Every structure is written in structure tokens, then in C-alpha cells.
Amino acid sequence: MNSVQLTGRLTRDPEVRYTYGGLSIASFTLAVNRRFKQDGGPGADFIRCVAFGKTAEFIEKYFTKGRKMDLNGRIQTGSYTNQEGQKVYTTDIVVENVEFGESKASNENNSNFNQDSGGIDDGFMNIPEGLDEEMPFN
């Protein structure tokens, strides 16, 4: 099965173009952190991605440089001959599904909590006391 799942940040705004038939195509590069970094080695991989149709339009509307993205897709390889007559091999991710990797509001709330109260960002929210009394399904 050819299936890819990535989480990373856009290295620049997506480049969107349209075919003569009106199909939208979004091309972008996703910086994906490596789980383990070797001394002197790169800490991230920069992966070329392409999306088509409604997915491309969604990316164009909501994603910009630096935005975190979760995507699912497939690997596609190809080749072409450049102007010097050399064969160039390509590997791209064809995006099939995309989601926000984070919300802007949650990032602002987490950074304010960490700065104001010295709290640890463990991904959990503190629940206020007495909240159980307000719940309609106890």
C-alpha cells in the first residue's frame, strides 16, 4: 500500500496554478522534523507536495508560510529530461487529505499560560473547580 502521513510546517506560501480546464494545483514544501537527529546531520526533511482540486483550493485559502499541516497522501515518482539533456528523477507527495496541525488561538492561549503562570505545556487544559455541577449529564 502506498500511503504517507506527514506533519510539518510550510516553508513558504503554497504556489497555486490552474489548468486550462479550471483544475487547481497547489505545490508546496513541508518541513518535517526528524524524530532523532544525528550530530551534524539535518534536523528536518523538506518534502515536496502537490494537491489538486478542492484540496488545493482549501490549502490556498487557509495555509501560509510557517503554518503547521497534517496530511495524508501517496508517494509519486517520475522523471524528466532537463535543458542540458540530463535525466532528472522526482519524488513528490500527492496530497489526498489535509488538516490543520494546530489552531492559532490554542497556540496563543498555551503561550500566555506558560508565560503568565509558569505552567508546563503538557497539552492538557486545567479544568476549573465546580465544573461538574454545571454539566447536564452527571
Side-chain angles (χ1 to χ4, degrees):
M1 178 187 307
N2 183 352
S3 180
V4 175
Q5 182 176 2
L6 299 173
T7 297
R9 294 190 183 275
L10 274 75
T11 61
R12 64 176 190 267
D13 289 347
E15 178 184 317
V16 180
R17 58 191 189 281
Y18 297 88
T19 65
Y20 291 116
L23 178 69
S24 52
I25 303 168
S27 301
F28 57 93
T29 300
L30 205 62
V32 179
N33 289 335
R34 291 188 176 180
R35 187 173 190 152
F36 301 105
K37 188 166 74 168
Q38 295 179 345
D39 292 337
D45 293 302
F46 298 89
I47 301 171
R48 293 179 354 172
C49 302
V50 62
F52 299 94
K54 297 288 185 188
T55 304
E57 293 169 15
F58 180 79
I59 291 168
E60 178 182 30
K61 186 173 182 177
Y62 294 108
F63 288 91
T64 57
K65 177 182 177 179
R67 194 82 195 257
K68 192 171 186 182
M69 175 188 287
D70 296 335
L71 66 80
N72 295 311
R74 61 184 169 80
I75 295 174
Q76 180 171 294
T77 59
S79 65
Y80 64 93
T81 304
N82 66 13
Q83 293 177 345
E84 291 80 37
Q86 299 171 328
K87 194 163 196 168
V88 177
Y89 295 93
T90 62
T91 302
D92 296 304
I93 302 301
V94 177
V95 179
E96 295 168 355
N97 183 45
V98 64
E99 297 177 10
F100 296 106
E102 62 190 359
S103 72
K104 199 171 193 178
S106 70
N107 276 347
E108 290 172 3
N109 289 340
N110 284 341
S111 65
N112 289 341
F113 171 73
N114 288 335
Q115 291 171 358
D116 296 343
S117 63
I120 299 171
D121 184 13
D122 59 2
F124 294 98
M125 182 178 98
N126 289 333
I127 299 175
E129 296 293 324
L131 188 62
D132 289 338
E133 298 162 2
E134 297 177 22
M135 300 300 277
F137 45 84
N138 281 342

